[in-house]
Protein backbone atom coordinates (compact mmCIF):
# COMPACT_ATOMS: atom_id res chain seq x y z
CA UNK A 1 0.00 0.00 0.00
CA UNK A 2 1.23 3.48 -0.88
CA UNK A 3 2.09 5.91 1.97
CA UNK A 4 -0.73 8.24 2.93
CA UNK A 5 -0.89 11.19 0.54
CA UNK A 6 1.70 9.75 -1.86
CA UNK A 7 0.71 9.36 -5.53
CA UNK A 8 -0.15 5.77 -6.42
CA UNK A 9 2.41 3.83 -8.42
CA UNK A 10 -0.33 1.89 -10.14
CA UNK A 11 -1.68 2.94 -13.56
CA UNK A 12 -5.39 2.94 -14.32
CA UNK A 13 -5.99 1.24 -17.69
CA UNK A 14 -8.89 3.59 -18.49
CA UNK A 15 -6.51 6.58 -18.54
CA UNK A 16 -4.35 5.12 -21.33
CA UNK A 17 -5.00 6.12 -24.98
CA UNK A 18 -6.17 3.30 -27.22
CA UNK A 19 -4.36 1.98 -30.29
CA UNK A 20 -6.99 3.55 -32.53
CA UNK A 21 -6.38 7.00 -31.00
CA UNK A 22 -2.74 6.87 -32.07
CA UNK A 23 -3.82 7.03 -35.71
CA UNK A 24 -5.72 10.29 -35.51
CA UNK A 25 -2.62 12.44 -35.99
CA UNK A 26 -1.72 10.61 -39.22
CA UNK A 27 -5.08 10.72 -40.99
CA UNK A 28 -4.21 13.87 -42.91
CA UNK A 29 -0.86 12.60 -44.22
CA UNK A 30 -0.49 11.92 -47.94
CA UNK A 31 -0.93 8.30 -48.96
CA UNK A 32 -1.34 6.50 -52.27
CA UNK A 33 -3.35 3.65 -50.76
CA UNK A 34 -7.08 3.61 -51.62
CA UNK A 35 -9.68 5.09 -49.30
CA UNK A 36 -12.13 2.35 -50.34
CA UNK A 37 -11.82 -1.08 -51.88
CA UNK A 38 -13.25 -2.38 -55.13
CA UNK A 39 -15.30 -5.57 -55.02
CA UNK A 40 -12.49 -7.73 -56.48
CA UNK A 41 -9.82 -6.34 -54.13
CA UNK A 42 -8.40 -8.94 -51.75
CA UNK A 43 -9.01 -7.86 -48.16
CA UNK A 44 -6.93 -8.70 -45.13
CA UNK A 45 -8.18 -11.50 -42.84
CA UNK A 46 -7.85 -8.88 -40.09
CA UNK A 47 -10.21 -6.19 -41.32
CA UNK A 48 -10.11 -2.59 -40.15
CA UNK A 49 -12.38 -2.47 -37.10
CA UNK A 50 -12.64 0.77 -35.16
CA UNK A 51 -14.39 -0.87 -32.20
CA UNK A 52 -11.68 -3.49 -31.74
CA UNK A 53 -8.92 -0.89 -32.07
CA UNK A 54 -10.58 1.08 -29.29
CA UNK A 55 -10.11 -1.87 -26.93
CA UNK A 56 -6.35 -2.24 -27.64
CA UNK A 57 -3.64 -0.23 -25.87
CA UNK A 58 0.12 -0.17 -26.53
CA UNK A 59 1.81 1.05 -23.34
CA UNK A 60 5.46 1.27 -22.33
CA UNK A 61 5.80 0.33 -18.67
CA UNK A 62 5.79 -2.41 -16.01
CA UNK A 63 2.87 -4.78 -16.58
CA UNK A 64 2.69 -5.52 -12.84
CA UNK A 65 1.72 -1.89 -12.15
CA UNK A 66 -1.42 -1.94 -14.29
CA UNK A 67 -4.68 -1.61 -12.39
CA UNK A 68 -6.55 -4.25 -14.40
CA UNK A 69 -8.53 -7.46 -14.04
CA UNK A 70 -5.97 -9.93 -15.41
CA UNK A 71 -2.33 -10.09 -16.55
CA UNK A 72 -0.85 -12.37 -19.23
CA UNK A 73 2.91 -12.87 -19.06
CA UNK A 74 5.03 -14.35 -21.87
CA UNK A 75 7.15 -16.66 -19.71
CA UNK A 76 4.68 -19.55 -19.41
CA UNK A 77 1.17 -20.22 -18.12
CA UNK A 78 2.26 -20.82 -14.53
CA UNK A 79 4.82 -17.98 -14.31
CA UNK A 80 7.40 -20.51 -13.14
CA UNK A 81 10.17 -19.06 -15.29
CA UNK A 82 12.53 -17.06 -13.10
CA UNK A 83 12.65 -13.55 -14.53
CA UNK A 84 12.05 -10.02 -13.20
CA UNK A 85 8.58 -9.76 -14.76
CA UNK A 86 7.28 -12.94 -13.14
CA UNK A 87 8.74 -12.01 -9.77
CA UNK A 88 7.24 -8.51 -9.97
CA UNK A 89 3.80 -9.93 -10.75
CA UNK A 90 3.90 -12.36 -7.83
CA UNK A 91 5.12 -9.65 -5.44
CA UNK A 92 2.35 -7.18 -6.33
CA UNK A 93 -0.53 -9.59 -6.98
CA UNK A 94 -3.07 -10.86 -4.50
CA UNK A 95 -3.04 -14.31 -2.83
CA UNK A 96 -5.44 -15.88 -5.35
CA UNK A 97 -3.05 -15.57 -8.29
CA UNK A 98 -1.95 -19.22 -8.33
CA UNK A 99 -5.54 -20.43 -8.54
CA UNK A 100 -6.41 -18.01 -11.32
CA UNK A 101 -3.36 -19.03 -13.35
CA UNK A 102 -5.05 -22.32 -14.14
CA UNK A 103 -7.79 -20.49 -16.06
CA UNK A 104 -5.66 -18.48 -18.48
CA UNK A 105 -5.86 -19.01 -22.24
CA UNK A 106 -4.17 -17.45 -25.36
CA UNK A 107 -5.38 -16.01 -29.13
CA UNK A 108 -5.78 -11.52 -28.97
CA UNK A 109 -7.26 -10.32 -32.32
CA UNK A 110 -9.35 -13.47 -32.84
CA UNK A 111 -10.42 -13.45 -29.19
CA UNK A 112 -11.68 -9.88 -29.48
CA UNK A 113 -13.56 -10.71 -32.68
CA UNK A 114 -15.41 -13.52 -30.92
CA UNK A 115 -15.60 -12.33 -27.30
CA UNK A 116 -15.01 -8.59 -27.65
CA UNK A 117 -18.25 -7.68 -25.90
CA UNK A 118 -16.94 -9.15 -22.65
CA UNK A 119 -13.60 -7.27 -22.72
CA UNK A 120 -13.14 -3.54 -22.06
CA UNK A 121 -9.40 -3.15 -22.70
CA UNK A 122 -6.37 -5.22 -23.69
CA UNK A 123 -3.01 -3.59 -22.89
CA UNK A 124 0.26 -4.65 -24.50
CA UNK A 125 2.78 -3.62 -21.84
CA UNK A 126 6.20 -3.39 -23.52
CA UNK A 127 9.70 -2.30 -22.67
CA UNK A 128 11.55 0.44 -24.51
CA UNK A 129 13.35 -2.15 -26.63
CA UNK A 130 10.10 -3.93 -27.55
CA UNK A 131 8.06 -0.84 -28.41
CA UNK A 132 9.40 -0.39 -31.95
CA UNK A 133 8.68 -4.04 -32.79
CA UNK A 134 5.08 -3.78 -31.60
CA UNK A 135 4.63 -0.55 -33.56
CA UNK A 136 5.43 -2.52 -36.71
CA UNK A 137 3.47 -5.69 -35.88
CA UNK A 138 0.23 -4.26 -34.50
CA UNK A 139 -0.90 -2.70 -37.84
CA UNK A 140 -0.88 -6.19 -39.40
CA UNK A 141 -3.50 -7.45 -36.97
CA UNK A 142 -5.15 -4.20 -35.85
CA UNK A 143 -5.14 -1.88 -38.91
CA UNK A 144 -6.34 1.59 -37.93
CA UNK A 145 -7.73 2.54 -41.33
CA UNK A 146 -8.45 1.06 -44.75
CA UNK A 147 -5.14 2.54 -45.86
CA UNK A 148 -3.20 0.75 -43.18
CA UNK A 149 -5.06 -2.51 -43.85
CA UNK A 150 -4.12 -2.26 -47.53
CA UNK A 151 -0.46 -1.50 -46.77
CA UNK A 152 -0.15 -4.30 -44.20
CA UNK A 153 -1.62 -7.12 -46.30
CA UNK A 154 1.61 -8.19 -48.10
CA UNK A 155 3.48 -8.44 -44.79
CA UNK A 156 1.16 -10.92 -43.07
CA UNK A 157 2.78 -14.34 -42.47
CA UNK A 158 1.48 -17.34 -44.39
CA UNK A 159 0.34 -19.12 -41.22
CA UNK A 160 -2.14 -16.95 -39.31
CA UNK A 161 -3.78 -19.81 -37.41
CA UNK A 162 -7.38 -20.94 -37.35
CA UNK A 163 -10.54 -19.01 -36.49
CA UNK A 164 -9.49 -18.98 -32.83
CA UNK A 165 -6.00 -17.73 -33.67
CA UNK A 166 -4.41 -21.04 -32.69
CA UNK A 167 -1.62 -22.56 -34.83
CA UNK A 168 -2.76 -25.28 -37.25
CA UNK A 169 -0.59 -28.42 -37.23
CA UNK A 170 -1.93 -30.88 -39.86
CA UNK A 171 0.10 -33.76 -38.42
CA UNK A 172 -1.86 -33.47 -35.14
CA UNK A 173 -5.28 -33.59 -36.75
CA UNK A 174 -7.21 -36.85 -36.43
CA UNK A 175 -9.84 -37.88 -38.95
CA UNK A 176 -12.10 -40.93 -38.49
CA UNK A 177 -14.00 -42.30 -41.45
CA UNK A 178 -17.66 -43.01 -40.78
CA UNK A 179 -17.44 -46.44 -42.44
CA UNK A 180 -13.79 -47.45 -42.85
CA UNK A 181 -13.21 -49.52 -45.96
CA UNK A 182 -16.57 -48.62 -47.54
CA UNK A 183 -16.55 -47.38 -51.18
CA UNK A 184 -17.42 -43.72 -51.69
CA UNK A 185 -20.57 -44.46 -53.71
CA UNK A 186 -21.84 -46.92 -51.02
CA UNK A 187 -22.21 -49.66 -53.63
CA UNK A 188 -21.60 -53.27 -52.72
CA UNK A 189 -18.02 -54.40 -53.06
CA UNK A 190 -17.31 -56.65 -56.01
CA UNK A 191 -14.60 -58.58 -54.21
CA UNK A 192 -13.62 -59.36 -50.67
CA UNK A 193 -10.40 -60.02 -48.86
CA UNK A 194 -7.14 -58.58 -50.16
CA UNK A 195 -8.84 -57.09 -53.22
CA UNK A 196 -10.79 -54.56 -51.15
CA UNK A 197 -9.67 -50.93 -51.40
CA UNK A 198 -8.45 -50.02 -47.91
CA UNK A 199 -7.48 -46.44 -48.74
CA UNK A 200 -10.37 -45.17 -46.60
CA UNK A 201 -9.08 -46.67 -43.35
CA UNK A 202 -6.24 -44.38 -42.39
CA UNK A 203 -2.81 -43.08 -43.23
CA UNK A 204 -0.67 -44.51 -40.45
CA UNK A 205 1.27 -47.77 -40.66
CA UNK A 206 -0.87 -49.68 -38.15
CA UNK A 207 -4.20 -48.87 -39.80
CA UNK A 208 -2.97 -49.74 -43.29
CA UNK A 209 -0.76 -52.66 -42.17
CA UNK A 210 2.10 -51.37 -44.30
CA UNK A 211 4.90 -52.42 -42.00
CA UNK A 212 7.63 -50.17 -40.68
CA UNK A 213 7.41 -46.86 -42.56
CA UNK A 214 10.70 -45.61 -41.11
CA UNK A 215 12.44 -48.77 -42.31
CA UNK A 216 11.06 -48.29 -45.81
CA UNK A 217 12.28 -44.70 -45.92
CA UNK A 218 15.70 -45.79 -44.73
CA UNK A 219 15.86 -48.40 -47.48
CA UNK A 220 14.92 -45.76 -50.04
CA UNK A 221 17.79 -43.55 -48.90
CA UNK A 222 20.15 -46.51 -49.08
CA UNK A 223 18.98 -47.37 -52.59
CA UNK A 224 17.85 -50.85 -51.54
CA UNK A 225 14.15 -50.51 -52.34
CA UNK A 226 13.15 -51.65 -55.83
CA UNK A 227 11.63 -49.32 -58.40
CA UNK A 228 8.36 -51.24 -58.21
CA UNK A 229 8.25 -50.82 -54.44
CA UNK A 230 8.95 -47.10 -54.79
CA UNK A 231 6.08 -46.71 -57.25
CA UNK A 232 3.76 -48.69 -55.00
CA UNK A 233 4.64 -46.55 -51.99
CA UNK A 234 4.15 -43.34 -54.01
CA UNK A 235 0.76 -44.58 -55.19
CA UNK A 236 -0.31 -45.28 -51.61
CA UNK A 237 0.77 -41.78 -50.60
CA UNK A 238 -1.19 -40.22 -53.47
CA UNK A 239 -4.27 -42.28 -52.59
CA UNK A 240 -4.17 -40.86 -49.07
CA UNK A 241 -4.09 -37.31 -50.46
CA UNK A 242 -6.95 -38.16 -52.83
CA UNK A 243 -9.03 -39.68 -50.03
CA UNK A 244 -8.53 -36.58 -47.91
CA UNK A 245 -9.35 -34.31 -50.87
CA UNK A 246 -12.69 -36.09 -51.33
CA UNK A 247 -13.62 -35.76 -47.65
CA UNK A 248 -12.33 -32.22 -46.96
CA UNK A 249 -14.49 -29.10 -47.20
CA UNK A 250 -12.69 -27.18 -49.95
CA UNK A 251 -15.42 -24.67 -50.74
CA UNK A 252 -13.25 -21.73 -49.64
CA UNK A 253 -10.56 -22.70 -52.17
CA UNK A 254 -13.13 -23.38 -54.90
CA UNK A 255 -14.63 -19.90 -54.41
CA UNK A 256 -11.35 -18.32 -55.54
CA UNK A 257 -11.97 -19.61 -59.10
CA UNK A 258 -8.22 -20.03 -59.56
CA UNK A 259 -8.49 -23.45 -61.29
CA UNK A 260 -11.18 -24.52 -63.75
CA UNK A 261 -11.78 -26.64 -66.84
CA UNK A 262 -12.54 -24.96 -70.14
CA UNK A 263 -12.55 -26.31 -73.74
CA UNK A 264 -10.02 -28.30 -75.78
CA UNK A 265 -6.89 -27.33 -77.72
CA UNK A 266 -6.33 -27.82 -81.44
CA UNK A 267 -5.38 -31.47 -80.77
CA UNK A 268 -8.57 -32.20 -78.85
CA UNK A 269 -6.89 -32.27 -75.43
CA UNK A 270 -8.65 -30.90 -72.32
CA UNK A 271 -7.62 -27.35 -71.36
CA UNK A 272 -7.28 -26.50 -67.67
CA UNK A 273 -6.89 -22.84 -66.64
CA UNK A 274 -4.95 -21.52 -63.64
CA UNK A 275 -5.43 -17.84 -62.74
CA UNK A 276 -2.42 -16.66 -60.72
CA UNK A 277 -4.03 -13.40 -59.60
CA UNK A 278 -6.80 -15.36 -57.86
CA UNK A 279 -4.38 -17.24 -55.57
CA UNK A 280 -3.80 -15.24 -52.36
CA UNK A 281 -0.82 -17.33 -51.25
CA UNK A 282 -0.32 -15.51 -47.95
CA UNK A 283 -3.96 -15.83 -46.91
CA UNK A 284 -4.93 -19.44 -47.66
CA UNK A 285 -3.92 -22.87 -46.43
CA UNK A 286 -1.65 -24.10 -49.23
CA UNK A 287 -2.14 -27.74 -48.23
CA UNK A 288 -5.86 -27.23 -48.87
CA UNK A 289 -4.95 -25.68 -52.22
CA UNK A 290 -2.99 -28.84 -53.06
CA UNK A 291 -5.95 -30.98 -52.00
CA UNK A 292 -8.26 -28.94 -54.23
CA UNK A 293 -5.89 -29.35 -57.19
CA UNK A 294 -5.92 -33.12 -56.70
CA UNK A 295 -9.71 -33.17 -56.24
CA UNK A 296 -10.28 -31.33 -59.54
CA UNK A 297 -7.49 -32.90 -61.59
CA UNK A 298 -7.67 -36.59 -60.66
CA UNK A 299 -10.23 -37.47 -63.34
CA UNK A 300 -8.82 -34.93 -65.83
CA UNK A 301 -5.30 -36.37 -65.72
CA UNK A 302 -6.38 -39.84 -66.84
CA UNK A 303 -6.13 -38.58 -70.43
CA UNK A 304 -4.00 -36.00 -72.23
CA UNK A 305 -4.46 -32.41 -71.11
CA UNK A 306 -2.78 -28.97 -71.22
CA UNK A 307 -2.49 -26.18 -68.65
CA UNK A 308 -2.92 -22.47 -69.36
CA UNK A 309 -1.46 -20.37 -66.54
CA UNK A 310 -2.38 -16.67 -66.57
CA UNK A 311 0.42 -14.80 -64.79
CA UNK A 312 -1.30 -11.56 -65.73
CA UNK A 313 -1.16 -8.77 -63.12
CA UNK A 314 -0.02 -11.04 -60.30
CA UNK A 315 1.55 -9.43 -57.25
CA UNK A 316 4.10 -10.66 -54.72
CA UNK A 317 1.47 -12.42 -52.61
CA UNK A 318 0.16 -14.39 -55.63
CA UNK A 319 3.43 -16.15 -56.45
CA UNK A 320 3.59 -19.89 -55.75
CA UNK A 321 6.99 -20.64 -54.26
CA UNK A 322 9.20 -23.43 -55.57
CA UNK A 323 8.79 -25.53 -52.41
CA UNK A 324 5.02 -25.77 -52.92
CA UNK A 325 5.38 -26.56 -56.62
CA UNK A 326 7.99 -29.22 -55.86
CA UNK A 327 5.68 -30.77 -53.24
CA UNK A 328 2.78 -30.79 -55.71
CA UNK A 329 4.96 -32.37 -58.41
CA UNK A 330 6.19 -35.04 -55.98
CA UNK A 331 2.72 -35.86 -54.58
CA UNK A 332 0.67 -36.22 -57.77
CA UNK A 333 0.20 -39.54 -59.51
CA UNK A 334 2.39 -40.52 -62.47
CA UNK A 335 -0.56 -39.98 -64.81
CA UNK A 336 -0.39 -36.22 -64.16
CA UNK A 337 3.15 -36.05 -65.53
CA UNK A 338 2.63 -38.55 -68.35
CA UNK A 339 -0.55 -36.96 -69.74
CA UNK A 340 0.45 -33.30 -69.28
CA UNK A 341 1.42 -32.29 -72.82
CA UNK A 342 1.97 -28.53 -72.50
CA UNK A 343 1.98 -25.62 -70.04
CA UNK A 344 1.25 -22.22 -71.59
CA UNK A 345 2.70 -19.51 -69.33
CA UNK A 346 0.75 -16.39 -70.37
CA UNK A 347 2.10 -12.86 -69.82
CA UNK A 348 5.31 -13.88 -68.04
CA UNK A 349 7.68 -11.37 -66.48
CA UNK A 350 11.45 -11.56 -66.64
CA UNK A 351 11.51 -12.66 -63.02
CA UNK A 352 8.99 -15.44 -63.61
CA UNK A 353 10.94 -16.69 -66.63
CA UNK A 354 14.11 -16.93 -64.55
CA UNK A 355 12.27 -18.66 -61.70
CA UNK A 356 10.68 -21.14 -64.11
CA UNK A 357 14.07 -21.95 -65.66
CA UNK A 358 15.65 -22.61 -62.26
CA UNK A 359 12.69 -24.72 -61.13
CA UNK A 360 12.56 -26.91 -64.23
CA UNK A 361 16.35 -27.24 -64.33
CA UNK A 362 17.16 -28.04 -60.72
CA UNK A 363 13.91 -29.09 -58.98
CA UNK A 364 11.98 -31.28 -61.42
CA UNK A 365 12.85 -33.29 -64.49
CA UNK A 366 10.95 -33.74 -67.73
CA UNK A 367 8.96 -30.51 -67.45
CA UNK A 368 11.17 -27.92 -69.15
CA UNK A 369 10.32 -28.95 -72.72
CA UNK A 370 6.58 -28.73 -71.99
CA UNK A 371 6.60 -25.07 -70.84
CA UNK A 372 5.86 -22.38 -73.44
CA UNK A 373 6.10 -18.70 -72.51
CA UNK A 374 3.34 -16.74 -74.24
CA UNK A 375 3.67 -12.95 -74.34
CA UNK A 376 0.35 -12.30 -76.09
CA UNK A 377 -2.97 -14.08 -76.49
CA UNK A 378 -2.46 -14.04 -80.23
CA UNK A 379 0.40 -16.51 -79.76
CA UNK A 380 -1.78 -18.69 -77.53
CA UNK A 381 -4.46 -18.89 -80.22
CA UNK A 382 -2.08 -20.78 -82.49
CA UNK A 383 -2.50 -23.74 -80.12
CA UNK A 384 -5.95 -23.10 -78.62
CA UNK A 385 -8.85 -21.38 -80.37
CA UNK A 386 -10.26 -18.30 -78.57
CA UNK A 387 -13.70 -19.85 -78.19
CA UNK A 388 -12.16 -22.80 -76.31
CA UNK A 389 -10.90 -20.67 -73.40
CA UNK A 390 -12.92 -18.91 -70.69
CA UNK A 391 -10.92 -15.74 -70.06
CA UNK A 392 -10.91 -13.66 -66.88
CA UNK A 393 -11.94 -10.17 -68.04
CA UNK A 394 -8.79 -8.51 -66.68
CA UNK A 395 -6.62 -10.80 -68.85
CA UNK A 396 -8.39 -9.64 -72.03
CA UNK A 397 -8.20 -6.00 -70.97
CA UNK A 398 -4.49 -6.25 -70.12
CA UNK A 399 -3.61 -7.99 -73.39
CA UNK A 400 -5.61 -5.53 -75.48
CA UNK A 401 -3.84 -2.66 -73.72
CA UNK A 402 -0.36 -4.15 -74.12
CA UNK A 403 -0.62 -5.88 -77.49
CA UNK A 404 -3.60 -4.23 -79.19
CA UNK A 405 -6.99 -5.75 -80.12
CA UNK A 406 -7.01 -8.47 -82.77
CA UNK A 407 -10.62 -9.66 -82.82
CA UNK A 408 -13.91 -7.85 -82.53
CA UNK A 409 -15.77 -10.04 -80.05
CA UNK A 410 -14.53 -11.52 -76.82
CA UNK A 411 -15.43 -15.08 -75.81
CA UNK A 412 -17.58 -15.53 -72.73
CA UNK A 413 -15.71 -15.52 -69.46
CA UNK A 414 -16.48 -16.83 -65.95
CA UNK A 415 -17.44 -14.47 -63.18
CA UNK A 416 -14.04 -14.08 -61.48
Amino acid sequence: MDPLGAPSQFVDVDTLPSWGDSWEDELNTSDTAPETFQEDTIRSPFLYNKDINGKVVLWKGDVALLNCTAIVNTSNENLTDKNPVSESIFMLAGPDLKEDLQKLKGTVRRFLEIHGETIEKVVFAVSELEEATYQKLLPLYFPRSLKEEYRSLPYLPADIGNAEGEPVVPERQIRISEKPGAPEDNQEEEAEGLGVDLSFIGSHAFARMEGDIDKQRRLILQGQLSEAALQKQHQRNYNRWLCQARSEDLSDIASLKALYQTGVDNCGRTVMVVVGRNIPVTLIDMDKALLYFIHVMDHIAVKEYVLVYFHTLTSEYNHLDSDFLKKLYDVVDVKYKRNLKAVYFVHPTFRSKVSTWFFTTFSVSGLKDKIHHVDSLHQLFSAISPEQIDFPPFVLEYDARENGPYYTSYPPSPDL
Side-chain angles (χ1 to χ4, degrees), residues 281-325:
V281 173
T282 60
L283 304 181
I284 63 174
D285 183 341
M286 294 308 295
D287 277 347
K288 290 187 68 174
L290 194 156
L291 288 172
Y292 181 72
F293 181 87
I294 291 174
H295 180 77
V296 172
M297 293 296 301
D298 182 69
H299 73 283
I300 298 292
V302 297
K303 58 183 180 180
E304 294 183 348
Y305 68 99
V306 299
L307 284 174
V308 176
Y309 169 65
F310 290 117
H311 191 66
T312 317
L313 298 177
T314 58
S315 63
E316 291 185 0
Y317 52 89
N318 297 130
H319 294 170
L320 298 171
D321 61 36
S322 58
D323 290 339
F324 171 80
L325 293 174

Side-chain angles (χ1 to χ4, degrees), residues 84-105:
V85 177
S86 295
E87 293 174 358
S88 178
I89 292 174
F90 272 117
M91 181 179 66
L92 296 168
D96 297 330
L97 175 59
K98 289 185 178 180
E99 180 182 345
D100 290 340
L101 285 175
Q102 305 303 319
K103 305 175 184 178
L104 294 180
K105 294 184 179 180

Side-chain angles (χ1 to χ4, degrees), residues 121-188:
K121 294 283 184 180
V122 175
V123 181
F124 292 97
V126 298
S127 66
E128 186 172 357
L129 292 177
E130 296 169 330
E131 186 177 23
T133 301
Y134 275 76
Q135 289 284 1
K136 291 183 178 180
L137 288 178
L138 280 177
L140 305 186
Y141 304 95
F142 300 94
R144 293 164 291 183
S145 69
L146 291 177
K147 294 180 181 180
E148 193 165 58
E149 178 191 332
Y150 178 83
R151 284 205 306 252
S152 300
L153 182 59
Y155 301 102
L156 278 172
D159 182 8
I160 58 173
N162 59 17
E164 298 288 342
E166 300 170 337
V168 177
V169 183
E171 292 80 4
R172 297 180 180 176
Q173 295 178 344
I174 299 176
R175 298 186 179 277
I176 301 176
S177 176
E178 181 179 357
K179 296 180 180 180
E184 185 178 15
D185 56 5
N186 293 324
Q187 296 180 357
E188 295 183 358

Side-chain angles (χ1 to χ4, degrees), residues 346-360:
V346 182
H347 299 146
T349 61
F350 176 76
R351 174 185 172 182
S352 64
K353 288 182 179 180
V354 173
S355 299
T356 302
W357 182 87
F358 270 95
F359 178 73
T360 56

Side-chain angles (χ1 to χ4, degrees), residues 201-250:
I201 292 182
S203 60
H204 52 77
F206 177 78
R208 296 180 56 83
M209 293 179 284
E210 293 177 346
D212 190 337
I213 296 296
D214 292 332
K215 181 178 179 180
Q216 291 182 13
R217 290 173 178 167
R218 184 168 62 253
L219 290 175
I220 292 174
L221 294 175
Q222 296 172 350
Q224 298 176 9
L225 207 59
S226 67
E227 183 66 24
L230 283 172
Q231 293 178 0
K232 184 177 180 180
Q233 187 177 59
H234 183 274
Q235 185 63 46
R236 286 198 298 264
N237 182 55
Y238 173 75
N239 286 340
R240 289 195 292 269
W241 279 91
L242 180 60
C243 180
Q244 184 177 354
R246 289 172 173 172
S247 62
E248 191 93 5
D249 180 8
L250 303 174

